[in-house]
Amino acid sequence: MGSISRRQLLKAGGAMGALGVVGAAAPTWAWSATQSVAGLGGQTPPWEVWDPEADPVVAAVIERGETARVNALLRGWTRNGQALPAGLPADLHAFLEQARRLPEWTDTRKLAAAVAFNERRGTYLGVSYGFVSGMMSTVIPHEARAVYSSKGGADMKRRISRTAKFGYDIGARNAFRPDGSMVVTAVKTRLAHAGVRHLLPRSAHWSATADERIPISQRDVLVTWHSLPTSVMRAMKAWGVRISGAEADAFLHSWQVAAHLLGVRDEYIPATWAAANAQAPQILDPVLAPTPEGIELARILVNLAAEVDGGALSRPLLQSMTRHFLGDRIADWLQLPRNPALDGGLAASWPAFVGLKEAGLLLPGSDHLSWAFDEVLRLGALWYLGDGQELHIEIPDRNNPN
Ligand code: HEM
């Protein structure tokens, strides 16, 4: 994978670890479950919980040698309202029937309002999912190490495209409706994560660098969750985007439902923005740090479009966008070079674009137009990243072999 050898990465990891750069600060869990969608909960901190329903079922599928057959069957399961394919192992079938149910606290009016918000704010959401959340994942040490060492780490283009599918499906007009795909996408992601929990502890690279026994705890999922809706909302507010309370709540709700479908316990899912904004500084902000794996993943990401233009424009543009949207501290951690002309251009043009858009000075009807434009862009990006192949989220059958 890439230009840095595994030996070099391990050495660099050791050096950064010695400097105390790698690894999260010892966590404390002071967030009360009364702030959660469940409204109550136990005392168990989320770093002591993984996915007790999905993990044994997926581990058994892998151990029985059924991964390829199950993945092939699940390719035909794409719509929320569709029956499960025949022939799945009984334990997996039973789990999926349970896991695909929307939580009882689902508010369909809010989900409909979230669709309207996604349409109206598509441009901002596209930019922030990519350059706020996406690039932030490379400075979340547990995630960067897990992704680097897992099967998908060997082919980041495929991996990113399947992750982008999550962002695409949650923003689609029919996301959680029977003809949409978001329930399927989230539940398949839950299966993929359960597979990673079973396989990654066998990875020599992961075991040598990780500071946890089993990857992807509920805390880890919450950290990544905050890198998505919480960071996106923070970014849009910082840019001066006007968002009503009802719109913000609707957007949050779509992500609350997604968290539930990903297997996060209701007692950890923030019920309100106030609750989310109280949780994020406890678990997201303190863990952000560079790792050799994250630096390497960021290098791969900014080079993703290089096969189209040789990287002459796309590489510096992606570097500058990361620097602009995540700031100098993170861009420097990721060792992304400065591109003075582009950096300056973005610093001037993005606020101007937002200012005009918010003042309603872009063309009348442009909200719908720009949503249509985004839709083409998003589909195009998914198609490009997936090399024109259909995208399927699957249970991994091995770790990164490199
Ligand atoms: C797989 C999304 C949290 C590590 C995936 C996939 C999606 C996804 C869509 C499937 C991609 C594929 O098949 O390649 C999410 C979302 C999260 C989340 C929405 C939280 C809200 C995490 C966390 C970690 C993690 C916290 C690690 C600490 C991985 C790994 C894979 C994966 C290693 C498997 C890639 C492979 O080898 O195939 N995730 N993820 N994810 N995720 Fe997550």
Side-chain angles (χ1 to χ4, degrees):
M1 131 178 240
S3 63
I4 305 181
S5 74
R6 244 147 219 269
R7 186 185 293 274
Q8 285 168 310
L9 267 176
L10 277 170
K11 252 173 84 182
M16 290 174 97
L19 292 169
V21 176
V22 173
T28 52
W29 188 239
W31 193 80
S32 163
T34 55
Q35 304 180 70
S36 70
V37 292
L40 58 117
Q43 300 298 312
T44 316
W47 54 89
E48 288 178 11
V49 186
W50 287 267
D51 191 339
E53 290 89 29
D55 292 348
V57 173
V58 174
V61 166
I62 296 173
E63 288 306 313
R64 293 193 299 255
E66 295 172 341
T67 316
R69 188 173 72 82
V70 161
N71 281 334
L73 285 172
L74 286 177
R75 283 183 172 211
W77 184 47
T78 57
R79 299 284 160 203
N80 302 335
Q82 191 184 344
L84 289 173
L88 288 173
D91 51 354
L92 180 65
H93 186 103
F95 166 74
L96 290 173
E97 286 300 6
Q98 183 65 33
R100 70 189 298 185
R101 284 193 207 153
L102 289 175
E104 65 208 18
W105 42 263
T106 302
D107 182 335
T108 46
R109 276 172 310 127
K110 279 191 180 169
L111 291 181
V115 169
F117 176 70
N118 285 323
E119 286 188 9
R120 227 163 72 78
R121 299 312 197 184
T123 316
Y124 299 134
L125 288 167
V127 168
S128 38
Y129 281 145
F131 292 95
V132 178
S133 314
M135 290 305 283
M136 191 183 281
S137 70
T138 64
V139 288
I140 298 175
H142 283 180
E143 191 175 349
R145 285 197 203 103
V147 168
Y148 180 86
S149 303
S150 68
K151 181 180 179 183
D155 182 352
M156 281 304 282
K157 195 170 148 186
R158 297 280 299 152
R159 148 89 199 166
I160 293 291
S161 59
R162 279 173 286 169
T163 305
K165 180 170 167 52
F166 199 97
Y168 175 79
D169 288 345
I170 200 171
R173 287 191 161 150
N174 51 3
F176 292 96
R177 294 203 305 246
D179 59 334
S181 296
M182 188 55 200
V183 173
V184 175
T185 293
V187 171
K188 285 188 177 177
T189 302
R190 189 173 174 187
L191 295 182
H193 287 161
V196 170
R197 287 191 196 97
H198 187 64
L199 294 171
L200 216 47
R202 302 175 187 175
S203 151
H205 180 83
W206 186 80
S207 303
T209 50
D211 59 1
E212 52 188 355
R213 204 171 35 86
I214 306 171
I216 324 188
S217 68
Q218 298 248 330
R219 173 196 188 233
D220 289 332
V221 180
L222 287 165
V223 167
T224 299
W225 187 89
H226 283 295
S227 75
L228 286 149
T230 313
S231 304
V232 164
M233 191 52 73
R234 279 178 179 172
M236 287 197 287
K237 294 241 158 112
W239 298 337
V241 177
R242 281 179 288 107
I243 301 168
S244 72
E247 283 179 317
D249 286 350
F251 177 65
L252 174 64
H253 192 63
S254 64
W255 277 98
Q256 288 166 329
V257 175
H260 176 96
L261 292 168
L262 279 171
V264 179
R265 283 191 186 174
D266 286 356
E267 70 182 272
Y268 300 134
I269 302 174
T272 61
W273 274 115
N277 290 331
Q279 195 185 73
Q282 282 188 43
I283 60 169
L284 171 67
D285 304 338
V287 303
L288 297 182
T291 56
E293 291 81 1
I295 293 167
E296 174 65 359
L297 292 177
R299 189 192 66 76
I300 295 170
L301 291 177
V302 296
N303 279 294
L304 271 185
E307 67 189 59
V308 176
D309 69 347
L313 178 63
S314 64
R315 188 184 306 115
L317 186 63
L318 295 175
Q319 290 165 342
S320 285
M321 289 186 79
T322 306
R323 183 170 290 280
H324 181 73
F325 292 115
L326 280 181
D328 286 335
R329 184 181 67 140
I330 291 181
D332 291 345
W333 278 350
L334 294 173
Q335 301 177 5
L336 299 176
R338 287 175 191 268
N339 304 293
L342 271 173
D343 293 350
L346 262 174
S349 59
W350 182 253
F353 170 75
V354 176
L356 282 175
K357 195 165 159 61
E358 293 309 297
L361 295 178
L362 295 181
L363 287 178
S366 61
D367 274 346
H368 278 293
L369 273 179
S370 65
W371 183 79
F373 181 59
D374 292 338
E375 184 75 1
V376 172
L377 262 183
R378 287 191 301 163
L379 279 171
L382 286 179
W383 187 85
Y384 159 70
L385 288 165
D387 279 334
Q389 300 165 34
E390 251 191 280
L391 294 166
H392 299 285
I393 294 172
E394 300 195 328
I395 300 172
D397 53 3
R398 60 190 158 90
N399 291 317
N400 186 344
N402 297 331

